[in-house]
């Protein structure tokens, strides 16, 4: 069983809500990304989403766009990100890793997919790939990597079914109409949509896009199987002036993990 | 007999190009647009309304003009000009916005957004939005806001809001990114009028169909003017909407179709905007097509003297026509474009847009392949008023 499936099934069995944390590889630099990933795990993060920077990230708000730009200015490459995961695995062989990015990066780097199993990359989340397509449909063949899809507030019932059928690992519920980091979350709407979504799938449902504070995380985790925190972390990493400031980020994550499991 | 050309397929692919590669939030909006478009295609009332607007508001049909002095200069085939520069707002762009704004209205959308490079599509969108009293927001790269200041002011005069985009390379591709982000956020009440045959399905098909009026008129006009179809049709290609509009009705005919891309500072310098000549297939802005990307799949910065062609991608249908060999795509550099710009102004009294001047730059070469009995048609996609200030600046002339 893939690490993602194993971790999330176990969490569900033990009635533990999952915390998924996102950062952009290479922002501010690869060494810090590596230490942040270990820090995330120590703070209670269950799955790490590693952002693959892209020149034209159309689903991202200003915070994550800027992080992509900074990372690319640091010459972050797809191979470099696989090396990062390989380094991470020297100390951590358990925490599931998902690469999140845009289709062109993945198609252009298909050769690198053969390294995914060796280094321990467990899933991919491709923001601009239609959810009803499998990785194979897209011309990417790697049977051991799970393909995580997004379902949004505008997804019809018919599409939801198709997407759920083509997905594995978990379903990522996009909590708002908008780009990452927006502030127009409507907690009641999210809850009712997540409940509807769960009727279509046995996969765990994680909710994200615009979740910033403990109150939102706690409220959404009443129905979802976990929450994804992205822009808030990326901005905090950017604001950190010295590596000791990362401690505040880890404290924040620990608090989120405990409120969603209150 | 060969099958009639019928691209794209029901999934929105032209061969292997095109498709719908967008964030999930937009998938339903694209499906809705596709359904609505299918409905109006067969709706005679709707078509009549478009025809009326094209005649009375845009001034169609645009003339087919014999360029006598240009023909004499090149001593080859007869050169004819399809005068899209005479349309209201000064370019072919309005053919598309007239159609799409009616679609928007039918779908009950109250807010219009668009991206623009040279500003022609921004003007054409702001114009039709003003006419229907709809709120309108135009995204434009900050660099283009500088070099096309006249059009920025025109857009504002028409009551629309201009949003300069500072991210990335601050040109057309970044304006598209920002427009898509706006659409994701305001999808309930907003209609996105894409300005070229780019973006996710059904846009490349819709924008093509609305621009194909140019080619349909040309069928009749060429019969009337020289009693046959043209031997070749030439058009500049950025995203490729003016080119596909004039090419499309001739795809099944024995007519050479020649697209001219922007070679910028030269193909071998890498500083250009010619993905069909020096790019490879990839995915950008919702569709698979040729694009300019580096070895890691990052989209490259482009370079062109014309803001409207300064784009790293191209419409998926052009990629298909290139691979199938049905159309030819060449590229010309900035220097030869400036020469053509002056030549057309001085020989024919027509000051073309810098984008349009690209279609005239390779005439030396193209004319040598035809004889004096043959007829070639160039699509004069837009007029050059908007470029006067930047041309003067390039030539060191102070207009202040």
């Amino acid at each position: 069983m893939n690490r993602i499936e194993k971790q999330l099934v176990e969490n569900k069995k033990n009635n533990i809500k999952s915390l998924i944390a996102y950062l952009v590889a290479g922002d501010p630099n690869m060494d810090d990304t590596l230490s942040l990933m270990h820090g995330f795990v120590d703070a209670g993060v269950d799955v790490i989403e590693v952002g693959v920077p892209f020149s034209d990230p159309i689903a991202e708000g200003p915070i994550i766009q800027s992080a992509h730009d900074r990372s690319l200015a640091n010459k972050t490459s797809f191979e470099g990100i696989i090396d990062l995961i390989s380094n991470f695995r020297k100390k951590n062989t358990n925490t599931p890793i998902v690469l999140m990015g845009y289709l062109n990066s993945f198609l252009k780097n298909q050769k690198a997919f053969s390294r995914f199993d060796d280094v321990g990359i467990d899933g991919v989340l491709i923001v601009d790939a239609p959810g009803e397509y499998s990785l194979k449909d897209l011309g990417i063949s790697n049977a051991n990597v799970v393909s995580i899809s997004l379902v949004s507030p505008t997804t019809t019932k018919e599409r939801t079914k198709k997407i759920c059928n083509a997905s594995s690992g978990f379903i990522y519920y996009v909590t708002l109409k908008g780009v990452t980091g927006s502030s127009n979350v409507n907690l009641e709407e999210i809850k009712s949509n997540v409940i509807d979504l769960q009727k279509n799938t046995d996969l765990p449902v994680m909710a994200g896009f615009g979740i910033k504070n403990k109150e939102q995380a706690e409220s959404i985790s009443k129905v979802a199987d976990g929450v994804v925190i992205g822009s808030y972390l990326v901005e905090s990493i950017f604001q950190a002036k010295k590596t000791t400031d990362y401690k505040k980020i880890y404290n924040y994550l620990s608090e989120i993990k405990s409120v969603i499991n209150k | 007999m060969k099958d009639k050309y019928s691209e794209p397929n029901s999934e929105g692919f032209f061969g292997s190009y095109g498709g719908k590669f967008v964030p999930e939030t937009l998938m339903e909006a694209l499906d809705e647009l596709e359904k609505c478009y299918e409905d109006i295609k067969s709706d005679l009332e709707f078509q009549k309304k478009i025809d009326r607007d094209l005649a009375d508001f845009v001034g169609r049909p645009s003339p087919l003009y014999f360029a006598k002095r240009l023909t004499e200069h090149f001593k080859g085939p007869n050169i004819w000009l399809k005068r899209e520069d005479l349309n209201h707002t000064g370019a072919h762009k309005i053919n598309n916005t007239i159609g799409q704004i009616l679609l928007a209205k039918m779908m009950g959308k109250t807010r219009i957004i668009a991206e623009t490079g040279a500003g022609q599509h921004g003007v054409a969108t702001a114009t039709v939005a003003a006419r229907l009293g709809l709120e309108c927001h135009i995204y434009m790269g900050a660099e283009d806001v500088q070099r096309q200041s006249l059009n920025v002011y025109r857009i504002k005069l028409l009551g629309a809001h201009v949003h300069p985009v500072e991210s990335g390379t601050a040109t057309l591709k970044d304006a598209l990114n920002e427009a898509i982000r706006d659409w994701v956020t305001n999808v309930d009440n907003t209609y996105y009028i894409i300005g070229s045959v780019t973006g996710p399905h059904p846009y490349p098909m819709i924008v093509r169909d609305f621009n194909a009026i140019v080619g349909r008129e040309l069928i009749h006009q060429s019969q009337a003017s020289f009693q046959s179809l043209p031997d070749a049709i030439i058009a500049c290609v950025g995203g490729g909407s003016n080119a596909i509009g004039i090419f499309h009705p001739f795809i099944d005919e024995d007519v050479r179709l020649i697209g001219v891309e922007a070679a910028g500072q030269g193909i071998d310098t890498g500083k250009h905007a010619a993905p069909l000549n020096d790019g490879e297939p990839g995915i950008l802005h919702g569709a698979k097509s040729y694009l300019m990307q580096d070895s890691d799949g990052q989209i490259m910065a482009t370079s062109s003297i014309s803001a409207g062609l300064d784009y790293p991608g191209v419409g998926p249908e052009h990629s298909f026509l290139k691979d199938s060999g049905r159309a030819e795509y060449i590229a010309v550099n900035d220097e030869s474009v400036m020469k053509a710009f002056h030549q057309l102004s001085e020989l024919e009294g027509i000051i073309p847009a810098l984008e349009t001047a690209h279609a005239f730059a390779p005439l030396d070469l193209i004319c040598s392949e035809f004889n004096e009995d043959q007829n070639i048609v160039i699509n004069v996609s837009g007029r050059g008023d908007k470029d006067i200030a930047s041309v003067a600046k390039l030539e060191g002339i102070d207009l202040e």
Side-chain angles (χ1 to χ4, degrees), chain A residues 53-58 60 65 72 77-78 103-104 108-109 127-128 130 150 152 154-156 159 177-178, chain B residues 20-25 27-28 167 173 177 181 184-185 188 280 282-284 293-299:
Chain A
F54 183 50
S55 52
D56 296 82
I58 52 176
E60 314 299 346
Q65 275 177 54
L72 289 175
S77 68
F78 202 90
L103 187 50
N104 203 52
K108 187 70 184 171
N109 286 288
V127 183
D128 54 348
L150 303 166
S152 89
T154 59
T155 308
T156 58
R159 275 187 64 74
K177 293 171 198 157
Chain B
K20 274 185 206 174
F21 299 97
V22 293
E24 177 58 29
T25 306
M27 290 302 276
E28 173 57 18
S167 63
K173 87 172 170 71
N177 290 340
R181 290 179 188 126
V184 172
T185 307
D188 291 336
E280 52 184 272
I283 289 176
L284 177 67
Q293 56 178 321
D294 68 14
S295 59
D296 211 38
Q298 305 297 343
I299 309 306

Side-chain angles (χ1 to χ4, degrees), chain B residues 128-255:
Chain B
V128 294
R131 209 171 145 239
L132 295 189
L134 297 173
E135 179 188 339
C136 181
H137 297 265
I138 306 292
Y139 289 91
M140 191 167 183
E143 190 184 320
D144 295 339
V145 168
Q146 290 297 321
R147 57 179 167 174
Q148 302 287 346
S149 55
L150 183 69
N151 271 346
V152 173
Y153 187 55
R154 286 171 81 196
I155 294 167
K156 288 179 183 166
L157 285 175
L158 292 160
H161 307 270
V162 177
H163 303 271
V165 178
E166 306 276 355
S167 63
T169 58
T171 59
L172 179 54
K173 87 172 170 71
D174 309 289
L176 254 135
N177 290 340
E178 216 47 47
I180 293 173
R181 290 179 188 126
D182 179 315
W183 198 28
V184 172
T185 307
N186 301 296
V187 63
D188 291 336
N189 70 344
T190 297
Y191 185 100
Y192 179 17
I193 301 189
I194 291 188
S196 193
V197 285
T198 51
H201 180 67
Y203 280 106
M205 175 179 75
I206 292 177
V207 179
R208 174 197 71 192
D209 291 353
F210 286 139
N211 270 297
I213 180 76
V214 180
R216 288 198 301 273
E217 284 173 5
L218 179 57
I219 292 177
H220 301 294
Q221 290 170 321
S222 54
Q223 291 291 357
S225 299
F226 46 85
Q227 295 76 51
S228 70
L229 293 182
D231 295 285
I233 300 172
I234 306 161
C236 66
V237 176
S241 64
N242 92 81
I244 215 76
I246 197 165
F247 287 176
H248 186 257
F250 293 90
I251 288 179
D252 287 327
E253 308 295 336
D254 185 19
V255 177

